[in-house]
Structure formats: C-alpha cells, structure tokens
Amino acid sequence: MLNYKLKIGLLPIRRYFKEPPKRMGIFQSDYAIENKNASIQYIRENYADSETEFVDIEWLNDEGVLSADSDCDKVAEYFKKEEIDALFIINCNFGQENCAGLVAKQLGVPTLLWGPRDRNFTNDLRYTDTQCGLFAMSKQLKRNNVKFSYIENCDITAPAFDQGLRKFFGVACMVKNFKNMRILQVGTRIKPFKSIMYNELELCEKFGIDIVIFNLAEALNDLKEIYATKQDELNKELIDLKNTFDCGKLDDEYLKKMLCIVHYYENLAKANDCNIISSECWTGITLGWGANPCLAMCLLAEKDIYVTCEWDIHMTITNVLLLSATRGKEKPIQGEFTCRHPENDNAELLWHCGPFPLKYKAKGEKPWLYNTKPSFRLEDGEYTIARFQAEKGRYYLFGEKFHTCEGPKTFGTYMWAEFEDLPALERKLVEGPYIHHMTEVPGDYTEYLKEFTKYIDEVEFDNAKM
C-alpha cells in the first residue's frame, strides 16, 4: 500500500566552544537557541498535519540542540528508533559541521539542509554567521556520502522556504514509496506491445521493486463469482453509473459485467495490501469475460486504487512517483502521445481509451461511453508529464510541464497539451529510451522529479533539453 505519511527528524545544530560559563559575542549560544526555538515552533505550527509528524531532540540537553560530537551517536540511535523517513538539519548559527555529517551518515535517509538568514548585527557584532556554516556543513555531508537537499539561506517566512520544504516532503515520500514498491500484475504482456517490455529481475535487484503476478484464469474465476454473488450491489451501482455517464445503447448486463471488474481489482488490491496494479486490458479480459476494463480503471481512481492499462510496468512506476510527489493529493493520468494538433505546432493530443480519473473531467461536460470506454475532455490547467524508463541497463526519469490548449473534440479520455518545443520533445521520445505512454498530474512537479534522482543512484533525470 502506498504510504504518504512522513516522520521528519528535526536536528538543530549550533557551534560548540568550550568556554564556560558562556561564550559572549559571535557564536554566543543565546542567539542560536533563539533561532532554534523560532524555527521549530514555526515548522510545527505550519507544517504538522495528519500526514506529517516531526520528531525533535528536546530530550538531549537543556537547549534541545546538538553541538557536541560525543552526542551524535545517541541522536542517530534515537532517530533510528523513531523510524524517521527524512532528516531536516537546521543550522542555528555557524553550526558544527562534523555533527551534521556524523548523524546524517548513520541514518541514510533523505536529508534537508537549511539555516535562517542572518539578521542580527547589534552593537557592531555578528552573532550567527549561519550562511557561512551552511557551506561548511554541505562539504561535510558530501564527504560522508550523504545525499541531501538544500533550501537557500532565507527567512523561515520566505516563499523559498515554503516551496523548498514542501518539495522535500514530496521527494522524501517518493523515495519512501519507491524503495517499498509492490506492483500487482494481472495477465501477460499484450502480444504486439514489444515497446512495454521490462526487466523484472533488474527492477528487483536494483530497486527492490516487488512484482506479484496473477494469471488471467484466476481473474476470470473471480469475475464469475462476483457476478453470481453481488447482483444487489451491481444493480445499485448500475443506477449510479447511468446517472454519471451517457451509456448509449449498452445493455444492463454488459454494464454490470464492466462493474464486476471494478470489484475484482478492488478485492485484489485489498487482499494484497497494494493499491497500484498493472493489467492487460483489451485482449484477455475482453475475450474471456466479454467486457472491457477501461471503465473500471476510471472509476477505481476515485477510490485511490490505480490500475495501469496495457500492462505497462514502467508507467505504473511513474504513477507511483507522481502520486508520491503530490503525497496522494492528485491522481495519475495515463495520457499517451497520440497525434499532433492540426494547427498548433507545439500542441499534442494526450489520450487514452478511458482510464483517466473522473475527478479531472472538464466542468460542464457529460461523460459518455464510446464503444464501452469512458470519454471526456480533461479540465484545463498546468500539468506535469513524466516517464520512468530503462534502456540497456540504465534507468531514466523524464519530466516536463505543459499547459492545456484548445483542440478538436475526440472520443476517449483526452486533453490537448501545449509544450514549449514539441518538435524537440518528439525527437527526445523517438531517439531517447522513452515510448509514447506517459503519466500526468495537475501542477508542476518537474523539480521534484529531478530532486528525487539525487537519492537513487541508478536513475538519471532527463527532459527535452538534455
């Protein structure tokens, strides 16, 4: 099951000098403690929620701040015991760079480095030199082979802090779910779809991705049982379906068989504690069951169960990364490159035969079933488009953004996407390792994708400009 909850370790650090009872002037501890108290209070008040928990080190000493090398092991052990997902190092004055390196090295989790902007220049003195210390800390982190993110030296109320912290949360969530990914695979690769081949052994060995396979005979048996035992539920769902979609001339029995597929995937996800599924979709199930699964993929997204069509494992992994970047607040859209706009040289039809989440239907549109498949245009806005892909043992993560634009109406689920340079993007897809299958989410998460690749050695970020 994808998990969007994060436990973040807060690690305030200050410079240590053995000059009892207290050093006066620059690096005086009072000012570092002021920075620490203000920072942690602000972070808790503005960023703690049901999905985000913070763990501090108030127990360590009277200051609740790390400053001695001798305390590093106990701090690291405490954070390990708390099972934090990520570490946030708050540099409260010049800091103690060795402490940052010693703790972060032991934890091996995504790490964020930041310090508040130096503002105190009283009595012709400086008391913190936080920015200077950030340079020193960063070098010690690198020398300890710690992968880390960075927010520029700024006030905690600055937009850069908010943007940087939220990006770090998204990236930490991506790393967490990527390293614990389980994909349920239903059926075998569609015969003509050589383009979606993948290396299951390599995904397991390199990234620990677990793919659990279910054969189509099992699926058909389960579908028959659902149809035989859940008629009351199916009849109620049929009413809701007809209120939502224009079902045309499809008869009730066919519609209920499509609704059975919703139950099948939902049961499979719950039984295996996994809400990401990759399934073949327009050969085996259609022939064996006599109904198409595209409607199920559309409806299940509303229940936070995601089924990737056409058995594309790499697109399924992309779905997980974008879901995690948004921390479950958005839903993946499986729009593939289909055809260029008839007039706009930088616009492309992103389309698929029905699996888009109903949540993103353009306002005022009545969705309909065209040849049994959901059909509607997506709402306008800014989107991120991405693709995780392998070629010759190397792995890439493609990320771009686009805005929707006007274009001809068509069947299926679709949107017209306007890019900065579509010819360059088309060339990248043709000459690079990617195929036409893509995943999109509303909003711009391209920097999240790029930052994520910092933490996964075997994955390289890519876009049309690279």
Side-chain angles (χ1 to χ4, degrees):
M1 185 66 70
L2 298 181
N3 185 353
Y4 308 119
K5 292 187 177 182
L6 291 174
K7 184 181 282 190
I8 310 293
L10 299 178
L11 181 60
I13 298 178
R14 73 167 178 88
R15 197 64 161 178
Y16 171 76
F17 285 97
K18 190 175 181 181
E19 296 181 16
K22 180 181 292 186
R23 179 180 173 85
M24 305 304 291
I26 193 168
F27 304 147
Q28 183 176 335
S29 61
D30 291 349
Y31 299 97
I33 305 311
E34 285 180 10
N35 273 342
K36 167 256 177 179
N37 289 336
S39 297
I40 289 183
Q41 180 180 349
Y42 185 89
I43 290 166
R44 287 191 177 281
E45 288 178 352
N46 290 276
Y47 298 99
D49 55 35
S50 60
E51 298 289 316
T52 313
E53 180 183 352
F54 296 102
V55 179
D56 57 41
I57 55 169
E58 288 297 321
W59 53 269
L60 181 63
N61 50 42
D62 291 341
E63 299 175 345
V65 174
L66 177 61
S67 61
D69 290 358
S70 58
D71 286 332
C72 289
D73 287 348
K74 68 176 74 171
V75 168
E77 286 303 315
Y78 175 74
F79 282 142
K80 286 179 185 178
K81 182 180 177 182
E82 287 292 319
E83 298 182 332
I84 64 169
D85 299 301
L87 178 68
F88 184 7
I89 298 173
I90 303 169
N91 195 28
C92 299
N93 56 15
F94 185 88
Q96 198 78 356
E97 61 265 34
N98 199 40
C99 289
L102 288 171
V103 174
K105 179 182 180 181
Q106 293 187 58
L107 294 172
V109 296
T111 298
L112 178 63
L113 177 62
W114 168 82
R117 189 168 176 175
D118 298 296
R119 291 291 186 185
N120 195 330
F121 295 87
T122 308
N123 301 323
D124 300 325
L125 289 174
R126 307 186 318 276
Y127 293 98
T128 51
D129 282 4
T130 299
Q131 188 200 41
C132 191
L134 289 169
F135 295 123
M137 277 191 175
S138 68
K139 299 305 171 288
Q140 197 62 17
L141 290 174
K142 289 178 73 69
R143 287 164 185 154
N144 280 281
N145 297 312
V146 174
K147 299 176 176 67
F148 68 95
S149 300
Y150 178 66
I151 299 176
E152 67 186 67
N153 180 224
C154 64
D155 295 321
I156 201 166
T157 56
F161 180 85
D162 181 72
Q163 294 163 9
L165 192 57
R166 293 188 188 280
K167 179 173 74 172
F168 179 70
F169 290 165
V171 171
C173 190
M174 293 168 76
V175 172
K176 177 178 181 176
N177 283 307
F178 185 77
K179 290 184 174 181
N180 296 282
M181 195 184 308
R182 182 190 303 131
I183 298 171
L184 308 183
Q185 174 191 311
V186 178
T188 59
R189 175 172 59 81
I190 302 167
K191 183 178 179 181
F193 272 47
K194 291 282 190 177
S195 60
I196 60 170
M197 288 191 297
Y198 76 99
N199 189 325
E200 180 182 351
L201 177 61
E202 195 170 72
L203 287 174
C204 181
E205 290 179 338
K206 282 182 181 288
F207 309 119
I209 295 174
D210 181 27
I211 298 173
V212 184
I213 298 176
F214 298 85
N215 69 56
L216 209 54
E218 291 179 277
L220 296 177
N221 283 338
D222 290 343
L223 286 166
K224 291 174 185 176
E225 183 178 354
I226 291 165
Y227 188 83
T229 61
K230 290 185 177 290
Q231 282 295 317
D232 288 344
E233 287 182 57
L234 293 171
N235 285 326
K236 291 177 183 177
E237 291 165 358
L238 180 62
I239 295 171
D240 291 336
L241 177 63
K242 288 182 174 181
N243 287 334
T244 303
F245 286 87
D246 178 354
C247 297
K249 297 180 180 180
L250 291 173
D251 62 57
D252 288 356
E253 290 307 301
Y254 190 93
L255 293 172
K256 286 197 290 185
K257 291 190 82 171
M258 287 201 294
L259 289 170
C260 284
I261 304 174
V262 176
H263 285 271
Y264 167 69
Y265 285 134
E266 187 172 9
N267 293 344
L268 192 70
K270 289 179 179 177
N272 293 275
D273 192 27
C274 180
N275 58 349
I276 196 79
I277 300 170
S278 179
S279 180
E280 78 93 53
C281 57
W282 52 267
T283 55
I285 287 181
T286 303
L287 288 172
W289 181 235
N292 287 324
C294 305
L295 175 65
M297 297 173 181
C298 173
L299 297 179
L300 282 166
E302 304 307 304
K303 300 183 177 185
D304 293 323
I305 296 170
Y306 304 100
V307 184
T308 308
C309 56
E310 295 175 333
W311 197 65
D312 188 342
I313 294 294
H314 287 147
M315 186 160 69
T316 308
I317 294 170
T318 313
N319 291 353
V320 170
L321 292 176
L322 287 178
L323 273 165
S324 301
T326 72
R327 300 185 69 191
K329 294 180 175 60
E330 302 292 352
K331 301 177 184 294
I333 303 156
Q334 301 171 69
E336 64 179 34
F337 279 73
T338 305
C339 61
R340 292 184 71 173
H341 194 287
E343 284 90 30
N344 187 337
D345 288 344
N346 278 322
E348 175 80 17
L349 176 65
L350 298 180
W351 173 95
H352 229 128
C353 49
F356 289 12
L358 196 59
K359 172 183 179 180
Y360 300 130
K361 176 186 69 68
K363 291 178 176 59
E365 279 214 354
K366 174 75 173 180
W368 78 101
L369 296 180
Y370 172 84
N371 191 23
T372 76
K373 299 172 178 66
S375 295
F376 53 86
R377 179 176 63 87
L378 254 64
E379 63 185 1
D380 290 324
E382 180 182 53
Y383 290 82
T384 298
I385 187 167
R387 172 81 187 179
F388 178 87
Q389 187 68 52
E391 185 176 69
K392 295 180 173 63
R394 297 178 63 184
Y395 285 81
Y396 302 86
L397 181 58
F398 174 87
E400 289 271 0
K401 64 179 179 179
F402 65 86
H403 285 83
T404 55
C405 64
E406 292 297 318
K409 183 175 181 177
T410 187
F411 65 94
T413 43
Y414 73 97
M415 56 183 157
W416 288 96
E418 185 169 25
F419 295 92
E420 182 180 338
D421 187 347
L422 180 60
L425 178 53
E426 178 183 339
R427 184 170 294 277
K428 167 66 72 172
L429 299 186
V430 170
E431 296 181 347
Y434 311 101
I435 68 170
H436 61 297
H437 287 181
M438 290 281 165
T439 302
E440 302 83 21
V441 291
D444 181 5
Y445 292 91
T446 51
E447 288 300 316
Y448 290 52
L449 299 172
K450 185 176 181 180
E451 192 77 6
F452 164 78
T453 60
K454 276 187 180 180
Y455 294 97
I456 309 296
D457 289 334
E458 300 282 352
V459 182
E460 178 183 335
F461 180 74
D462 193 15
N463 61 27
K465 298 176 182 177
M466 301 176 75

